[in-house]
Amino acid sequence: MTAPTTSRGGTRPGAGVPGVDGGTPAAPVELRLDPAPTAMVWTAPGQRHEAVAVPTVVLAPGDALVEVELATVCGSDVHTTRGDRGAPAPLVLGHEQVGRVVAVGERAVAADGSALVPGQRVVWSLTVSCGRCASCDRGLPQKCTSVLKYGHERLVTGWELSGGFATHVHVRAGTTVVPVDHELPAELLAPVSCGTATARAALDAAASVVDLAGAVVLVLGAGLIGLTASALATDAGARVVVVDPDAGRRALARRFGAVATADPTAPAGSDDDVERALESAGGAPLVAVEASGSPHAVASAIDRLGTGGVAVLVGSVFPAPPVPLDAEALVRRLVTIRGVHNYAPRHLVEAARFVEERHGAWPLHELVGDVVALADLDAGIAAAAAGGSVRVGVRPA
Ligand SMILES: [Zn+2]
Ligand SMILES: [Zn+2]
């Protein structure tokens, strides 16, 4: 695309903020792009996406405009388009992507505090947080009282480019932006901002209770989070057992470090029985990472834990029947149950470094299978729903 035409100054009354050093107030940057950025707008289950052109973008101080190289379809995009969970429409879906900075507002910074500059290749957090509220102060910026989430917000004038299924994303001040390697294939980096970082957060939650080195770790669900958790836990010295009903996913899990795999539907005593797989790995798990969202798997994760173990629930992000709890068993076995939703900035940084440093050790390149053009987004989401590849890619160019 051609370089954006920019002008600085007051197109939005009151959009300027006082300079932090007491100097001149920062002003918004107005961009006119030719060709205009395009976003794919979703309106309702069963409706096709509509392409909407956004010729003018106004970057407030701290904002950046990023040209998307590749986005990936997360399970939550599939759940939203199927109508499994409510979503404010119209909206631009997509929150896993990698791209290059094409323009910056004043004082736009990366996660390490360095200035963002055009040309940088970046991934960014799922959430925009204020950094000042009680939740942000407690280290839970994903629960900021004024949180905004890429790919989850109703379309509004001034922030049309709010999701990854677009040629560009308007990355707002309060987003954690992480510069990444310029050479790695985009397929390795696109999932970092949701799946990979969430897997990192899940294992952090487990490691705060149990030393992963030498522990048996049970992973339920061999999607992107489960497979990444398997590799991360193996890197930390754990012996991982992955449970998934799909034989292809179980085979893939072996290549992501699992020492044993099991089919949750297999009869007791059969070759694919969960109990048999755990015995071969060393016995009852001290960590269970539940990444499927199935109530049966949640119950299994908690029931199978050894004494002092921790169950990390990360897959339950859509409505499902409640899971009965045997409180006495939890008490007597000193079990911890942790819910993990999204992640904190450090998890995104660590997830990017994991992909950069460990892509030779684990077959991360196999996580993205089909790749469709942005105009074929509906077909891409249908392919993701069919579940052939772990992630389907969406490429604007
Ligand atoms: Zn996601
Ligand atoms: Zn906040």
Side-chain angles (χ1 to χ4, degrees):
M1 62 170 287
T2 53
T5 313
T6 66
S7 61
R8 291 187 184 263
T11 57
R12 283 198 308 200
V17 298
V20 285
D21 55 0
T24 52
V29 176
E30 183 173 319
L31 307 171
R32 290 187 186 82
L33 297 106
D34 182 21
T38 301
M40 300 299 281
V41 176
W42 179 82
T43 52
Q47 297 295 310
R48 294 184 62 79
H49 281 77
E50 286 177 42
V52 170
V54 185
T56 303
V57 177
V58 178
L59 298 180
D63 291 1
L65 184 69
V66 180
E67 186 170 16
V68 177
E69 273 182 76
L70 183 79
T72 41
V73 180
C74 174
S76 66
D77 296 314
V78 173
H79 288 300
T80 299
T81 52
R82 279 204 299 229
D84 295 347
R85 58 183 209 172
L91 85 128
V92 182
L93 290 163
H95 55 271
E96 286 187 341
Q97 66 283 296
V98 59
R100 287 182 196 275
V101 176
V102 292
V104 293
E106 294 195 16
R107 296 194 297 264
V109 292
D112 65 0
S114 62
L116 279 180
V117 292
Q120 270 178 322
R121 197 184 199 200
V122 293
V123 295
W124 59 95
S125 54
L126 172 57
T127 53
V128 185
S129 310
C130 78
R132 295 181 300 274
C133 72
S135 294
C136 286
D137 273 351
R138 291 174 58 214
L140 301 172
Q142 69 270 50
K143 298 298 166 187
C144 173
T145 53
S146 56
V147 73
L148 296 170
K149 297 177 78 168
Y150 294 95
H152 290 73
E153 304 293 338
R154 187 188 304 277
L155 195 66
V156 291
T157 303
W159 197 37
E160 295 89 346
L161 299 171
S162 58
F165 298 149
T167 59
H168 298 70
V169 175
H170 179 168
V171 174
R172 294 177 56 153
T175 304
T176 303
V177 181
V178 181
V180 292
D181 187 279
H182 278 273
E183 307 297 330
L184 281 187
E187 285 80 356
L188 296 178
L189 292 163
V192 164
S193 50
C194 180
T196 318
T198 303
R200 179 69 266 170
L203 280 187
D204 248 34
S208 71
V209 180
V210 167
D211 185 357
L212 296 177
V216 173
V217 172
L218 176 65
V219 174
L220 299 113
L224 194 127
I225 291 175
L227 292 167
T228 306
S230 177
L232 287 166
T234 303
D235 278 349
R239 292 174 59 75
V240 179
V241 175
V242 175
V243 177
D244 194 284
D246 184 280
R249 292 294 177 90
R250 293 199 296 276
L252 194 53
R254 293 261 185 183
R255 300 175 53 226
F256 276 81
V259 297
T261 59
D263 177 352
T265 66
S270 69
D271 283 352
D272 287 325
D273 176 32
V274 178
E275 212 52 55
R276 182 175 281 196
L278 286 169
E279 276 166 27
S280 76
L286 287 183
V287 174
V289 176
E290 203 304 296
S292 76
S294 148
H296 183 266
V298 171
S300 174
I302 296 167
D303 291 348
R304 293 183 188 281
L305 277 180
T307 301
V310 54
V312 181
L313 308 184
V314 67
S316 301
V317 289
F318 49 87
V323 178
L325 286 181
D326 179 346
E328 184 191 0
L330 297 185
V331 169
R332 292 189 185 281
R333 283 158 46 229
L334 293 94
V335 160
T336 301
I337 301 174
R338 284 285 305 270
V340 167
H341 190 213
N342 305 147
Y343 54 83
R346 70 178 185 281
H347 300 125
L348 181 65
V349 174
E350 291 168 6
R353 299 293 94 88
F354 166 72
V355 169
E356 289 171 341
E357 291 164 10
R358 299 296 288 161
H359 67 94
W362 306 114
L364 300 173
H365 59 281
E366 292 184 34
L367 294 174
V368 179
D370 303 331
V371 176
V372 301
L374 183 60
D376 298 325
L377 175 60
D378 293 296
I381 291 175
S389 49
V390 177
R391 281 289 191 268
V392 171
V394 180
R395 195 180 292 281

